[in-house]
Amino acid sequence: MKILVPLKRVTDPDTKIRLLPDGSAVDLDGVKFAVNPFDAIALEEALRIKEKVGDVEIIVTSIGGDECVEQLRVGLAMGADRALLIKTVEPLDSLAIAKILAAVYQREQPGFVLMGKQAIDDDSNQTGQMLAALLGLGQATFVSKLELLDNNTRARCGRETDAGIETVTVAFPAIITTDLRLNEPRYVSLPGIMKAKKKPLEEIALADLGVSASSRTRVLALEPPPKRKAGVRVKTVDELVDKLRNEAKVI
Amino acid sequence: MANVLVLAEHDDGQLKLATLSALGFAHQVCAAAGGAYSVLILGQSLGDATEKLRGYGAASVLVADHVALKEPLADKYAHVIAEVARTQNATLVVGAASTFTKDLLPRAAALLDAGMISDVIEVRPEGTDFVFKRVMYAGNIIATVKLEGAVKFLTVRAAAFAPPAQTAELSPATPVAVDAGKLPAQIDYVGREAKVAGRPDSTEARVVVSGGRAIKNAEDFERLIGGLADVLGGAVGSSRALVDSGITPNSLQVGQTGKVVAPDLYIAVGISGANQHMAGMKDTKVIVAINKDAEAPIFEVADYGLVGDVYQVVPELTEKLRK
Ligand SMILES: Cc1cc2nc3c(=O)[nH]c(=O)nc-3n(C[C@H](O)[C@H](O)[C@H](O)COP(=O)(O)OP(=O)(O)OC[C@H]3O[C@@H](n4cnc5c(N)ncnc54)[C@H](O)[C@@H]3O)c2cc1C
Ligand SMILES: Nc1ncnc2c1ncn2[C@@H]1O[C@H](COP(=O)(O)O)[C@@H](O)[C@H]1O
């Protein structure tokens, strides 16, 4: 069985994101990059499935510039078997990415796709669902519990919804998107890094993949969110109650 | 001229209030650009929710009521939503941002080869088109975006759009024919964990009391956070830290990857104020922070900050508010 795991290169979740002084773009000076945390969770789950099931090949793929090789290497060092970089410098929206992933899917024919529910930079939460629609496959989104059934032909998925955990089963091939509680991704080990150097990393220019995928969304401007005005410190509970009742008038 | 299709959300036939914000968005768009909006509801036994939806100025309330749609399974729902959007010639399809709409709308969009924008907080017409503002990077960046295509899909932040005024005249309710044999059947419903009854949903409440890692166990959470919420008639929420450690269910998580709330009053109890948490509550009217660390980042957004131990402060506060 093959499992396809997309890895997006994103700004590290621990860095505070700011705009350049002229507001034209995000200030990336000195900002660290990482594998999108939800994708790392997806890869970890694929690795655990491989450890349990045995005969599994894990393919990680990233769409973007040469710099994405860094994240693919992390994926290989974590334990993925091979990597595929789809090279493009175009800024692409979720539908375009889903179309490209659909082409990768057709090429690789995996048993299923495990991917993040959301990229923590654009926060769109769309790509997995769009990919499932384009391929005509079932989907289970926001999954925090995953169990393979019936000789790995179906999965039972616990989904984190606003109302609590919902459980569904979905027939393979399918698209599964991960939520935070699915697992805690392993750290990259030194032997892992050494081994990764010998693993195949293929690069394909987007133009050679045979999909037409351009962005429908166009960013016109960026701005910081409105700043909250500085508040006050209160010293006692009485003072707090008084302020809430008589100044803010919210209770 | 806009032709907006609003996706309604309900919980076992009870309309979710956030749907009214999506209607508010539709109303605003049509007031600015001309046009009309309809609302689509899917499920089984939808009488009550349908009646509610009829009072908000929609051209029609489209009701897909069928046993095959009893549970919101993405393959079936997205199929129906895309079909209705197509037959209605919708130019905008919108829902309030929630796990329900996030599961369905991107899938329906791709079925129509349409693009989508998530978490819209502002819309304005520009010529015959629109520009939207949306939040990204855990709320640290607001982007102004345009979306090309004959039909555009969106989710909106509930707090950003007020519900439209109720109308005396009721919209007609129109059944949507559902051919169950044509629906995809790749996903099967198994069940849903029992809801914690009693308190309002954090996305609908006027007051939200949220607990963070300072709270040591589920009993303390119920006693301190639940107790304070109850005297204020509010909802409870929590940081990711408590969900991860099993103290609170995931449905309470507020933040970038949980719920986005914007109540009148948010009380953050023993929450440090990580970026990802603040992304879910920064638009609150009045923020109160209680934390023993005077340097905690949560104080930077708090209107009222109290430095102290939550195990002492919260019982005292609850007691004093009871009076
Ligand atoms: C991809 C990703 C997504 C995330 N999504 C979310 C999200 O949606 N929501 C979310 O909340 N987090 C999210 N996080 C996690 C986030 O980064 C923080 O780790 C989390 O919010 C911290 O929770 P906390 O403030 O409760 O805990 P901590 O950061 O540990 O803070 C605990 C606070 O309690 C105070 N304290 C301790 N004891 C007491 C006491 N007795 N009295 C008073 N104060 C006390 C401490 O001073 C401290 O400030 C996400 C992280 C990642 C990487
Ligand atoms: N450029 C990319 N390369 C690889 N995977 C991506 C890319 N963009 C998005 N994805 C995948 O799509 C998921 C959801 O992204 P989004 O819909 O943008 O929030 C991510 O967690 C990734 O798994």
Side-chain angles (χ1 to χ4, degrees):
Chain A
M1 179 170 51
K2 277 191 198 177
I3 307 176
L4 179 65
V5 182
L7 301 182
K8 186 177 186 188
R9 174 183 168 92
V10 297
T11 50
D12 185 279
D14 293 330
T15 41
K16 175 107 181 146
I17 296 300
R18 287 194 185 81
L19 287 175
L20 288 170
D22 69 357
S24 61
V26 170
D27 185 355
L28 295 177
D29 190 33
V31 168
K32 276 197 304 173
F33 285 84
V35 172
N36 183 38
F38 291 97
D39 297 344
I41 291 170
L43 177 54
E44 174 64 34
E45 197 64 17
L47 293 167
R48 290 184 191 185
I49 290 169
K50 180 176 172 130
E51 283 156 11
K52 209 151 117 194
V53 173
D55 187 21
V56 171
E57 185 189 23
I58 300 171
I59 304 140
V60 288
T61 186
S62 198
I63 300 157
D66 288 325
E67 62 283 0
C68 298
V69 164
E70 205 186 317
Q71 278 62 47
L72 290 173
R73 292 255 177 245
V74 171
L76 293 173
M78 278 176 74
D81 297 291
R82 61 188 169 87
L84 190 56
L85 172 63
I86 308 298
K87 268 169 75 164
T88 172
V89 291
E90 289 284 303
L92 295 171
D93 62 7
S94 298
L95 184 63
I97 296 287
K99 287 178 180 175
I100 296 165
L101 288 176
V104 172
Y105 176 95
Q106 299 297 3
R107 192 175 178 267
E108 297 290 345
Q109 299 287 327
F112 60 102
V113 181
L114 253 168
M115 59 196 282
K117 75 166 182 179
Q118 152 181 7
I120 61 153
D121 48 5
D122 63 54
D123 279 336
S124 289
N125 197 331
Q126 299 173 1
T127 308
Q129 299 87 313
M130 289 177 159
L131 177 61
L134 296 176
L135 294 169
L137 300 179
Q139 71 186 48
T141 51
F142 327 141
V143 169
S144 62
K145 198 157 187 250
L146 178 63
E147 192 192 337
L148 301 196
L149 307 174
D150 302 340
N151 208 10
N152 310 325
T153 59
R154 276 186 329 132
R156 181 199 303 275
C157 304
R159 305 182 51 232
E160 294 205 351
T161 74
D162 289 343
I165 309 287
E166 177 189 285
T167 305
V168 297
T169 62
V170 60
F172 284 162
I175 311 298
I176 293 173
T177 78
T178 60
D179 217 317
L180 294 170
R181 254 72 59 182
L182 184 57
N183 60 49
E184 231 177 278
R186 68 196 62 189
Y187 288 102
V188 167
S189 67
L190 198 57
I193 295 171
M194 298 314 288
K195 266 197 226 154
K197 292 196 171 138
K198 296 197 203 76
K199 291 179 179 173
L201 195 159
E202 190 184 350
E203 298 185 12
I204 305 177
L206 176 57
D208 295 336
L209 198 65
V211 275
S212 71
S214 58
S215 238
R216 299 248 153 112
T217 53
R218 198 154 42 88
V219 176
L220 305 176
L222 300 173
E223 63 188 293
K227 261 209 153 6
R228 290 188 73 93
K229 63 167 176 48
V232 296
R233 294 286 167 101
V234 292
K235 292 221 161 50
T236 63
V237 168
D238 287 315
E239 197 185 337
L240 177 61
V241 173
D242 175 62
K243 295 268 190 207
L244 290 177
R245 283 216 170 104
N246 304 316
E247 190 176 270
K249 299 192 165 67
V250 282
I251 55 172
Chain B
M1 290 275 274
N3 183 5
V4 191
L5 180 65
V6 177
L7 175 65
E9 178 173 356
H10 62 91
D11 198 352
D12 280 332
Q14 284 284 97
L15 189 69
K16 296 291 280 180
L17 288 182
T19 301
L20 302 183
S21 308
L23 281 164
F25 168 91
H27 183 86
Q28 190 182 322
V29 161
C30 294
Y37 54 97
S38 299
V39 48
L40 168 65
I41 184 165
L42 304 91
Q44 193 191 17
S45 306
L46 299 169
D48 286 355
T50 302
E51 281 316 300
K52 274 222 180 79
L53 287 170
R54 293 179 64 199
Y56 291 94
S60 69
V61 179
L62 305 161
V63 187
D65 193 324
H66 196 285
V67 57
L69 301 176
K70 184 165 189 297
E71 310 298 344
L73 297 175
D75 51 354
K76 295 185 171 61
Y77 269 50
H79 179 94
V80 175
I81 295 164
E83 272 306 304
V84 172
R86 186 177 4 232
T87 52
Q88 296 282 317
N89 293 313
T91 57
L92 292 169
V93 182
V94 62
S98 66
T99 54
F100 170 80
T101 53
K102 286 177 182 171
D103 186 41
L104 304 171
L105 287 185
R107 188 177 175 108
L111 290 176
L112 298 176
D113 196 25
M116 176 159 172
I117 306 179
S118 301
D119 294 297
V120 168
I121 53 168
E122 209 180 295
V123 57
R124 75 185 141 79
E126 198 189 67
T128 56
D129 203 0
F130 298 95
V131 288
F132 305 95
K133 284 193 180 181
R134 68 170 301 252
V135 276
M136 51 201 285
Y137 285 97
N140 289 309
I141 304 281
I142 294 176
T144 304
V145 283
K146 273 193 105 152
L147 177 55
E148 283 160 28
V151 51
K152 308 170 175 32
F153 279 66
L154 329 150
T155 59
V156 296
R157 284 271 172 97
F161 298 94
Q166 273 184 280
T167 56
E169 197 184 331
L170 296 183
S171 317
T174 316
V176 172
V178 177
D179 184 348
K182 285 224 177 85
L183 294 178
Q186 290 143 330
I187 313 168
D188 287 305
Y189 184 79
V190 177
R192 189 159 85 177
E193 85 187 341
K195 249 189 311 200
V196 213
R199 298 198 180 99
D201 189 302
S202 59
T203 56
E204 299 185 351
R206 257 196 65 250
V207 176
V208 177
V209 183
S210 249
R213 206 189 304 271
I215 307 295
K216 296 194 188 77
N217 53 52
E219 295 78 63
D220 289 354
F221 184 87
E222 181 50 35
R223 181 168 58 84
L224 296 173
I225 307 302
L228 179 53
D230 288 344
V231 292
L232 294 166
V236 292
S238 84
S239 71
R240 172 187 173 183
L242 290 193
V243 186
D244 282 359
S245 58
I247 293 173
T248 53
N250 80 281
S251 52
L252 295 197
Q253 182 176 316
V254 170
Q256 179 188 19
T257 56
K259 286 181 178 165
V260 175
V261 303
D264 290 346
L265 174 62
Y266 187 92
I267 307 184
V269 178
I271 292 176
S272 62
N275 256 328
Q276 292 91 354
H277 185 78
M278 306 226 264
M281 41 67 81
K282 259 194 314 201
D283 293 328
T284 297
K285 215 177 277 165
V286 176
I287 297 175
V288 170
I290 303 169
N291 197 306
K292 69 177 180 193
D293 173 10
E295 305 295 317
I298 190 77
F299 286 122
E300 289 161 30
V301 301
D303 300 279
Y304 303 108
L306 180 53
V307 178
D309 187 325
V310 300
Y311 278 83
Q312 277 151 22
V313 171
V314 174
E316 186 187 341
L317 179 59
T318 308
E319 208 36 60
K320 289 191 164 140
L321 287 172
R322 213 186 291 280
K323 289 178 201 143

